[in-house]
Amino acid sequence: NLAGFQTFRQNVPGGIGGPPEIAPSVSWEYDFGIIRNQKIKVATQGFQAQIAQFADFDRLFRLRLRQNYWLHLYITELIDFQKEFYENYKDLLELNKFRADKGDIAVLEYDRLQLERIRIEKDYKDADILRAQIAKELRFLIGIAPSNEISNFKGNLKYFTTEELGLNLNNFNIEDRPDLQALKSKSVQNKLTIDLKKKEGYSSYINFGGEVRLKGNEQYAGVFASVPLKLFDRNQGEILKAEENYKKSQLEVESKRKQIYSEIRAALREVNAREELLSNYREIKLLDKNKDVQEKYRLAYIRGASNLVTFLEAEKNYLTVLRGYFEQLYLYYNSIEIFRAAIGKLGNIND
């Protein structure tokens, strides 16, 4: 709506001029409902696309948060058993020092064991530093203020099959991915924009108005109505631009679908491979058997029935098995989170 007010005063040379002329006016542009409603539809789809983009950011954020959580649990497991080995080596060194003083073992053997304890201590301290760094990043992601205290996040690495976790690897729909939903909303918006530009190329509104003129004792009033007629510029360029944007958005949707299928297949293969490996570990009781072997060699060395080289080799093998097992557990749960993110099932912004 437009309103105006004008005043005029005639200036006669050598005279005092005539009475002032006052001309208030008002005009109103009436939309037939074609342009306005179409703009609302276009804006609604754009808003839906923005919501979907934020949901996709939330999906990736949750993935990063959970990956750091599983990494924190993995490093915690490393620290726990490395600390146990470190304490055991300290006790063993005290015993061997007594044996070396008595002459039961060579001093060189005691020094070799001391070097091994230093190596284990280094690995233990390095893991502790890494856990502190991961805890700091977790605090940052969660939004907790920094603290000098060690963060204790509940949980431990224990193997459960996907069936025990209630995860159906064959039940997914790629349309749940928010990034695909965002592109689809954008495509619909571009299609609606084509109709909008076509409608803007023709007359879609009428302009009503009225004016009153007051000049002394004279009064005039009038009304008018006008309809713009677009003869040459009918938004041809804008229409072509909108059509090209729509074609591009359609190609982006199809490309994103193929990308999502590829991500899901890769994540699914990784989950199945790691689950099969860990199931074999659990079936043959890998950790229990290696623990038994390690304890037998340790006891044999303490009793003097085994030499230092054999004992250290058994210790290294057990440490390697432990580290490899927990690493596989971490990678297994990490692959599950990647799979859930790939199918768009990591929760939503309201969780």
PDB file of all heavy atoms in Angstrom, residues 47-72:
ATOM      1  N   PHE A  47      13.308 -23.448   3.252  1.00  0.00           N
ATOM      2  CA  PHE A  47      13.402 -23.626   4.701  1.00  0.00           C
ATOM      3  C   PHE A  47      13.581 -25.100   5.055  1.00  0.00           C
ATOM      4  O   PHE A  47      14.383 -25.457   5.926  1.00  0.00           O
ATOM      5  CB  PHE A  47      12.145 -23.065   5.361  1.00  0.00           C
ATOM      6  CG  PHE A  47      12.152 -23.162   6.860  1.00  0.00           C
ATOM      7  CD1 PHE A  47      13.078 -22.458   7.611  1.00  0.00           C
ATOM      8  CD2 PHE A  47      11.239 -23.972   7.511  1.00  0.00           C
ATOM      9  CE1 PHE A  47      13.089 -22.553   8.993  1.00  0.00           C
ATOM     10  CE2 PHE A  47      11.239 -24.080   8.886  1.00  0.00           C
ATOM     11  CZ  PHE A  47      12.168 -23.367   9.637  1.00  0.00           C
ATOM     12  N   GLN A  48      12.843 -25.983   4.365  1.00  0.00           N
ATOM     13  CA  GLN A  48      12.991 -27.422   4.594  1.00  0.00           C
ATOM     14  C   GLN A  48      14.403 -27.894   4.243  1.00  0.00           C
ATOM     15  O   GLN A  48      14.975 -28.757   4.925  1.00  0.00           O
ATOM     16  CB  GLN A  48      11.960 -28.192   3.759  1.00  0.00           C
ATOM     17  CG  GLN A  48      10.522 -27.976   4.178  1.00  0.00           C
ATOM     18  CD  GLN A  48      10.221 -28.537   5.559  1.00  0.00           C
ATOM     19  OE1 GLN A  48      10.882 -29.460   6.028  1.00  0.00           O
ATOM     20  NE2 GLN A  48       9.221 -27.971   6.212  1.00  0.00           N
ATOM     21  N   ALA A  49      14.971 -27.331   3.189  1.00  0.00           N
ATOM     22  CA  ALA A  49      16.344 -27.694   2.804  1.00  0.00           C
ATOM     23  C   ALA A  49      17.333 -27.273   3.878  1.00  0.00           C
ATOM     24  O   ALA A  49      18.276 -28.008   4.197  1.00  0.00           O
ATOM     25  CB  ALA A  49      16.704 -27.050   1.464  1.00  0.00           C
ATOM     26  N   GLN A  50      17.130 -26.098   4.470  1.00  0.00           N
ATOM     27  CA  GLN A  50      18.025 -25.631   5.534  1.00  0.00           C
ATOM     28  C   GLN A  50      17.924 -26.525   6.768  1.00  0.00           C
ATOM     29  O   GLN A  50      18.929 -26.841   7.412  1.00  0.00           O
ATOM     30  CB  GLN A  50      17.687 -24.186   5.903  1.00  0.00           C
ATOM     31  CG  GLN A  50      18.032 -23.164   4.832  1.00  0.00           C
ATOM     32  CD  GLN A  50      19.525 -23.098   4.568  1.00  0.00           C
ATOM     33  OE1 GLN A  50      20.344 -23.221   5.474  1.00  0.00           O
ATOM     34  NE2 GLN A  50      19.890 -22.907   3.309  1.00  0.00           N
ATOM     35  N   ILE A  51      16.722 -26.954   7.105  1.00  0.00           N
ATOM     36  CA  ILE A  51      16.540 -27.864   8.248  1.00  0.00           C
ATOM     37  C   ILE A  51      17.263 -29.185   7.994  1.00  0.00           C
ATOM     38  O   ILE A  51      17.936 -29.731   8.881  1.00  0.00           O
ATOM     39  CB  ILE A  51      15.039 -28.098   8.502  1.00  0.00           C
ATOM     40  CG1 ILE A  51      14.369 -26.812   8.989  1.00  0.00           C
ATOM     41  CG2 ILE A  51      14.827 -29.221   9.515  1.00  0.00           C
ATOM     42  CD1 ILE A  51      12.880 -26.940   9.184  1.00  0.00           C
ATOM     43  N   ALA A  52      17.135 -29.714   6.777  1.00  0.00           N
ATOM     44  CA  ALA A  52      17.800 -30.972   6.437  1.00  0.00           C
ATOM     45  C   ALA A  52      19.321 -30.823   6.473  1.00  0.00           C
ATOM     46  O   ALA A  52      20.034 -31.742   6.900  1.00  0.00           O
ATOM     47  CB  ALA A  52      17.344 -31.454   5.057  1.00  0.00           C
ATOM     48  N   GLN A  53      19.832 -29.681   6.038  1.00  0.00           N
ATOM     49  CA  GLN A  53      21.281 -29.451   6.098  1.00  0.00           C
ATOM     50  C   GLN A  53      21.778 -29.419   7.538  1.00  0.00           C
ATOM     51  O   GLN A  53      22.852 -29.937   7.845  1.00  0.00           O
ATOM     52  CB  GLN A  53      21.623 -28.148   5.375  1.00  0.00           C
ATOM     53  CG  GLN A  53      21.504 -28.223   3.868  1.00  0.00           C
ATOM     54  CD  GLN A  53      21.762 -26.894   3.190  1.00  0.00           C
ATOM     55  OE1 GLN A  53      22.086 -25.894   3.846  1.00  0.00           O
ATOM     56  NE2 GLN A  53      21.618 -26.850   1.867  1.00  0.00           N
ATOM     57  N   PHE A  54      21.014 -28.803   8.422  1.00  0.00           N
ATOM     58  CA  PHE A  54      21.393 -28.801   9.829  1.00  0.00           C
ATOM     59  C   PHE A  54      21.336 -30.210  10.413  1.00  0.00           C
ATOM     60  O   PHE A  54      22.196 -30.595  11.219  1.00  0.00           O
ATOM     61  CB  PHE A  54      20.483 -27.873  10.630  1.00  0.00           C
ATOM     62  CG  PHE A  54      20.835 -27.816  12.089  1.00  0.00           C
ATOM     63  CD1 PHE A  54      21.906 -27.058  12.530  1.00  0.00           C
ATOM     64  CD2 PHE A  54      20.113 -28.546  13.015  1.00  0.00           C
ATOM     65  CE1 PHE A  54      22.244 -27.023  13.876  1.00  0.00           C
ATOM     66  CE2 PHE A  54      20.428 -28.517  14.360  1.00  0.00           C
ATOM     67  CZ  PHE A  54      21.501 -27.743  14.797  1.00  0.00           C
ATOM     68  N   ALA A  55      20.331 -30.996   9.997  1.00  0.00           N
ATOM     69  CA  ALA A  55      20.240 -32.383  10.455  1.00  0.00           C
ATOM     70  C   ALA A  55      21.443 -33.195   9.970  1.00  0.00           C
ATOM     71  O   ALA A  55      21.940 -34.079  10.677  1.00  0.00           O
ATOM     72  CB  ALA A  55      18.941 -33.016   9.968  1.00  0.00           C
ATOM     73  N   ASP A  56      21.934 -32.896   8.774  1.00  0.00           N
ATOM     74  CA  ASP A  56      23.116 -33.598   8.267  1.00  0.00           C
ATOM     75  C   ASP A  56      24.360 -33.204   9.062  1.00  0.00           C
ATOM     76  O   ASP A  56      25.222 -34.038   9.342  1.00  0.00           O
ATOM     77  CB  ASP A  56      23.314 -33.280   6.784  1.00  0.00           C
ATOM     78  CG  ASP A  56      24.407 -34.105   6.150  1.00  0.00           C
ATOM     79  OD1 ASP A  56      24.343 -35.346   6.241  1.00  0.00           O
ATOM     80  OD2 ASP A  56      25.350 -33.516   5.582  1.00  0.00           O
ATOM     81  N   PHE A  57      24.462 -31.922   9.413  1.00  0.00           N
ATOM     82  CA  PHE A  57      25.558 -31.496  10.283  1.00  0.00           C
ATOM     83  C   PHE A  57      25.487 -32.224  11.625  1.00  0.00           C
ATOM     84  O   PHE A  57      26.505 -32.664  12.166  1.00  0.00           O
ATOM     85  CB  PHE A  57      25.497 -29.985  10.503  1.00  0.00           C
ATOM     86  CG  PHE A  57      26.371 -29.497  11.621  1.00  0.00           C
ATOM     87  CD1 PHE A  57      27.735 -29.337  11.435  1.00  0.00           C
ATOM     88  CD2 PHE A  57      25.832 -29.214  12.878  1.00  0.00           C
ATOM     89  CE1 PHE A  57      28.545 -28.893  12.477  1.00  0.00           C
ATOM     90  CE2 PHE A  57      26.637 -28.784  13.914  1.00  0.00           C
ATOM     91  CZ  PHE A  57      27.995 -28.615  13.718  1.00  0.00           C
ATOM     92  N   ASP A  58      24.284 -32.364  12.153  1.00  0.00           N
ATOM     93  CA  ASP A  58      24.094 -33.082  13.417  1.00  0.00           C
ATOM     94  C   ASP A  58      24.510 -34.539  13.275  1.00  0.00           C
ATOM     95  O   ASP A  58      25.116 -35.118  14.191  1.00  0.00           O
ATOM     96  CB  ASP A  58      22.633 -32.985  13.844  1.00  0.00           C
ATOM     97  CG  ASP A  58      22.361 -33.699  15.151  1.00  0.00           C
ATOM     98  OD1 ASP A  58      22.748 -33.161  16.207  1.00  0.00           O
ATOM     99  OD2 ASP A  58      21.788 -34.802  15.128  1.00  0.00           O
ATOM    100  N   ARG A  59      24.222 -35.157  12.124  1.00  0.00           N
ATOM    101  CA  ARG A  59      24.619 -36.547  11.876  1.00  0.00           C
ATOM    102  C   ARG A  59      26.143 -36.701  11.910  1.00  0.00           C
ATOM    103  O   ARG A  59      26.682 -37.611  12.563  1.00  0.00           O
ATOM    104  CB  ARG A  59      24.058 -36.997  10.516  1.00  0.00           C
ATOM    105  CG  ARG A  59      24.504 -38.384  10.065  1.00  0.00           C
ATOM    106  CD  ARG A  59      23.957 -38.677   8.666  1.00  0.00           C
ATOM    107  NE  ARG A  59      24.597 -37.873   7.666  1.00  0.00           N
ATOM    108  CZ  ARG A  59      25.675 -38.249   6.968  1.00  0.00           C
ATOM    109  NH1 ARG A  59      26.244 -39.427   7.205  1.00  0.00           N
ATOM    110  NH2 ARG A  59      26.197 -37.454   6.058  1.00  0.00           N
ATOM    111  N   LEU A  60      26.842 -35.827  11.217  1.00  0.00           N
ATOM    112  CA  LEU A  60      28.302 -35.902  11.179  1.00  0.00           C
ATOM    113  C   LEU A  60      28.904 -35.563  12.537  1.00  0.00           C
ATOM    114  O   LEU A  60      29.927 -36.142  12.936  1.00  0.00           O
ATOM    115  CB  LEU A  60      28.838 -34.947  10.107  1.00  0.00           C
ATOM    116  CG  LEU A  60      28.402 -35.256   8.671  1.00  0.00           C
ATOM    117  CD1 LEU A  60      28.905 -34.188   7.721  1.00  0.00           C
ATOM    118  CD2 LEU A  60      28.897 -36.625   8.242  1.00  0.00           C
ATOM    119  N   PHE A  61      28.281 -34.637  13.249  1.00  0.00           N
ATOM    120  CA  PHE A  61      28.766 -34.290  14.587  1.00  0.00           C
ATOM    121  C   PHE A  61      28.636 -35.481  15.532  1.00  0.00           C
ATOM    122  O   PHE A  61      29.550 -35.785  16.306  1.00  0.00           O
ATOM    123  CB  PHE A  61      27.980 -33.094  15.126  1.00  0.00           C
ATOM    124  CG  PHE A  61      28.341 -32.719  16.533  1.00  0.00           C
ATOM    125  CD1 PHE A  61      29.473 -31.966  16.802  1.00  0.00           C
ATOM    126  CD2 PHE A  61      27.555 -33.142  17.597  1.00  0.00           C
ATOM    127  CE1 PHE A  61      29.809 -31.625  18.101  1.00  0.00           C
ATOM    128  CE2 PHE A  61      27.876 -32.814  18.900  1.00  0.00           C
ATOM    129  CZ  PHE A  61      29.007 -32.047  19.158  1.00  0.00           C
ATOM    130  N   ARG A  62      27.498 -36.159  15.498  1.00  0.00           N
ATOM    131  CA  ARG A  62      27.294 -37.328  16.348  1.00  0.00           C
ATOM    132  C   ARG A  62      28.294 -38.436  16.001  1.00  0.00           C
ATOM    133  O   ARG A  62      28.786 -39.136  16.890  1.00  0.00           O
ATOM    134  CB  ARG A  62      25.869 -37.852  16.195  1.00  0.00           C
ATOM    135  CG  ARG A  62      24.809 -36.975  16.852  1.00  0.00           C
ATOM    136  CD  ARG A  62      23.407 -37.449  16.477  1.00  0.00           C
ATOM    137  NE  ARG A  62      22.399 -36.602  17.072  1.00  0.00           N
ATOM    138  CZ  ARG A  62      21.822 -36.831  18.243  1.00  0.00           C
ATOM    139  NH1 ARG A  62      22.180 -37.901  18.941  1.00  0.00           N
ATOM    140  NH2 ARG A  62      20.911 -36.019  18.732  1.00  0.00           N
ATOM    141  N   LEU A  63      28.577 -38.600  14.712  1.00  0.00           N
ATOM    142  CA  LEU A  63      29.550 -39.618  14.294  1.00  0.00           C
ATOM    143  C   LEU A  63      30.921 -39.319  14.883  1.00  0.00           C
ATOM    144  O   LEU A  63      31.585 -40.211  15.431  1.00  0.00           O
ATOM    145  CB  LEU A  63      29.620 -39.676  12.763  1.00  0.00           C
ATOM    146  CG  LEU A  63      30.698 -40.599  12.184  1.00  0.00           C
ATOM    147  CD1 LEU A  63      30.463 -42.045  12.613  1.00  0.00           C
ATOM    148  CD2 LEU A  63      30.732 -40.491  10.662  1.00  0.00           C
ATOM    149  N   ARG A  64      31.356 -38.071  14.778  1.00  0.00           N
ATOM    150  CA  ARG A  64      32.663 -37.699  15.324  1.00  0.00           C
ATOM    151  C   ARG A  64      32.697 -37.880  16.838  1.00  0.00           C
ATOM    152  O   ARG A  64      33.688 -38.373  17.394  1.00  0.00           O
ATOM    153  CB  ARG A  64      32.966 -36.242  14.979  1.00  0.00           C
ATOM    154  CG  ARG A  64      34.325 -35.772  15.478  1.00  0.00           C
ATOM    155  CD  ARG A  64      34.570 -34.315  15.129  1.00  0.00           C
ATOM    156  NE  ARG A  64      35.815 -33.828  15.706  1.00  0.00           N
ATOM    157  CZ  ARG A  64      36.211 -32.575  15.673  1.00  0.00           C
ATOM    158  NH1 ARG A  64      35.456 -31.669  15.076  1.00  0.00           N
ATOM    159  NH2 ARG A  64      37.347 -32.197  16.229  1.00  0.00           N
ATOM    160  N   LEU A  65      31.611 -37.520  17.505  1.00  0.00           N
ATOM    161  CA  LEU A  65      31.547 -37.659  18.958  1.00  0.00           C
ATOM    162  C   LEU A  65      31.647 -39.126  19.360  1.00  0.00           C
ATOM    163  O   LEU A  65      32.403 -39.485  20.273  1.00  0.00           O
ATOM    164  CB  LEU A  65      30.245 -37.047  19.466  1.00  0.00           C
ATOM    165  CG  LEU A  65      29.998 -37.111  20.978  1.00  0.00           C
ATOM    166  CD1 LEU A  65      31.058 -36.335  21.734  1.00  0.00           C
ATOM    167  CD2 LEU A  65      28.611 -36.582  21.307  1.00  0.00           C
ATOM    168  N   ARG A  66      30.926 -39.994  18.693  1.00  0.00           N
ATOM    169  CA  ARG A  66      30.927 -41.412  19.053  1.00  0.00           C
ATOM    170  C   ARG A  66      32.249 -42.081  18.686  1.00  0.00           C
ATOM    171  O   ARG A  66      32.719 -42.969  19.398  1.00  0.00           O
ATOM    172  CB  ARG A  66      29.755 -42.104  18.356  1.00  0.00           C
ATOM    173  CG  ARG A  66      28.404 -41.584  18.835  1.00  0.00           C
ATOM    174  CD  ARG A  66      27.249 -42.340  18.241  1.00  0.00           C
ATOM    175  NE  ARG A  66      25.980 -41.747  18.652  1.00  0.00           N
ATOM    176  CZ  ARG A  66      24.815 -42.344  18.543  1.00  0.00           C
ATOM    177  NH1 ARG A  66      24.751 -43.558  18.023  1.00  0.00           N
ATOM    178  NH2 ARG A  66      23.713 -41.742  18.932  1.00  0.00           N
ATOM    179  N   GLN A  67      32.850 -41.663  17.589  1.00  0.00           N
ATOM    180  CA  GLN A  67      34.158 -42.214  17.234  1.00  0.00           C
ATOM    181  C   GLN A  67      35.197 -41.866  18.306  1.00  0.00           C
ATOM    182  O   GLN A  67      36.021 -42.704  18.683  1.00  0.00           O
ATOM    183  CB  GLN A  67      34.594 -41.682  15.871  1.00  0.00           C
ATOM    184  CG  GLN A  67      33.858 -42.301  14.706  1.00  0.00           C
ATOM    185  CD  GLN A  67      34.279 -41.712  13.377  1.00  0.00           C
ATOM    186  OE1 GLN A  67      34.538 -40.512  13.271  1.00  0.00           O
ATOM    187  NE2 GLN A  67      34.341 -42.534  12.349  1.00  0.00           N
ATOM    188  N   ASN A  68      35.161 -40.645  18.796  1.00  0.00           N
ATOM    189  CA  ASN A  68      36.079 -40.251  19.866  1.00  0.00           C
ATOM    190  C   ASN A  68      35.776 -40.987  21.160  1.00  0.00           C
ATOM    191  O   ASN A  68      36.695 -41.302  21.936  1.00  0.00           O
ATOM    192  CB  ASN A  68      36.001 -38.739  20.095  1.00  0.00           C
ATOM    193  CG  ASN A  68      36.853 -37.955  19.130  1.00  0.00           C
ATOM    194  OD1 ASN A  68      38.043 -37.736  19.330  1.00  0.00           O
ATOM    195  ND2 ASN A  68      36.240 -37.534  18.032  1.00  0.00           N
ATOM    196  N   TYR A  69      34.510 -41.287  21.406  1.00  0.00           N
ATOM    197  CA  TYR A  69      34.139 -42.034  22.610  1.00  0.00           C
ATOM    198  C   TYR A  69      34.731 -43.443  22.568  1.00  0.00           C
ATOM    199  O   TYR A  69      35.330 -43.909  23.540  1.00  0.00           O
ATOM    200  CB  TYR A  69      32.623 -42.095  22.731  1.00  0.00           C
ATOM    201  CG  TYR A  69      32.136 -43.052  23.792  1.00  0.00           C
ATOM    202  CD1 TYR A  69      32.268 -42.754  25.140  1.00  0.00           C
ATOM    203  CD2 TYR A  69      31.543 -44.262  23.439  1.00  0.00           C
ATOM    204  CE1 TYR A  69      31.824 -43.636  26.116  1.00  0.00           C
ATOM    205  CE2 TYR A  69      31.089 -45.141  24.398  1.00  0.00           C
ATOM    206  CZ  TYR A  69      31.227 -44.821  25.730  1.00  0.00           C
ATOM    207  OH  TYR A  69      30.797 -45.702  26.687  1.00  0.00           O
ATOM    208  N   TRP A  70      34.567 -44.134  21.427  1.00  0.00           N
ATOM    209  CA  TRP A  70      35.121 -45.488  21.320  1.00  0.00           C
ATOM    210  C   TRP A  70      36.641 -45.466  21.359  1.00  0.00           C
ATOM    211  O   TRP A  70      37.274 -46.381  21.913  1.00  0.00           O
ATOM    212  CB  TRP A  70      34.635 -46.144  20.029  1.00  0.00           C
ATOM    213  CG  TRP A  70      33.184 -46.490  20.040  1.00  0.00           C
ATOM    214  CD1 TRP A  70      32.207 -45.965  19.253  1.00  0.00           C
ATOM    215  CD2 TRP A  70      32.529 -47.428  20.913  1.00  0.00           C
ATOM    216  NE1 TRP A  70      30.992 -46.509  19.564  1.00  0.00           N
ATOM    217  CE2 TRP A  70      31.154 -47.410  20.570  1.00  0.00           C
ATOM    218  CE3 TRP A  70      32.969 -48.268  21.917  1.00  0.00           C
ATOM    219  CZ2 TRP A  70      30.225 -48.213  21.220  1.00  0.00           C
ATOM    220  CZ3 TRP A  70      32.035 -49.076  22.567  1.00  0.00           C
ATOM    221  CH2 TRP A  70      30.683 -49.036  22.225  1.00  0.00           C
ATOM    222  N   LEU A  71      37.244 -44.441  20.789  1.00  0.00           N
ATOM    223  CA  LEU A  71      38.700 -44.311  20.858  1.00  0.00           C
ATOM    224  C   LEU A  71      39.148 -44.122  22.305  1.00  0.00           C
ATOM    225  O   LEU A  71      40.172 -44.670  22.734  1.00  0.00           O
ATOM    226  CB  LEU A  71      39.164 -43.145  19.993  1.00  0.00           C
ATOM    227  CG  LEU A  71      40.678 -42.903  19.933  1.00  0.00           C
ATOM    228  CD1 LEU A  71      41.406 -44.134  19.410  1.00  0.00           C
ATOM    229  CD2 LEU A  71      40.988 -41.685  19.069  1.00  0.00           C
ATOM    230  N   HIS A  72      38.386 -43.350  23.067  1.00  0.00           N
ATOM    231  CA  HIS A  72      38.704 -43.142  24.487  1.00  0.00           C
ATOM    232  C   HIS A  72      38.640 -44.472  25.251  1.00  0.00           C
ATOM    233  O   HIS A  72      39.519 -44.767  26.087  1.00  0.00           O
ATOM    234  CB  HIS A  72      37.732 -42.134  25.088  1.00  0.00           C
ATOM    235  CG  HIS A  72      38.050 -41.762  26.504  1.00  0.00           C
ATOM    236  ND1 HIS A  72      37.600 -42.507  27.573  1.00  0.00           N
ATOM    237  CD2 HIS A  72      38.776 -40.739  27.033  1.00  0.00           C
ATOM    238  CE1 HIS A  72      38.033 -41.956  28.699  1.00  0.00           C
ATOM    239  NE2 HIS A  72      38.733 -40.890  28.396  1.00  0.00           N
TER     240      HIS A  72
END
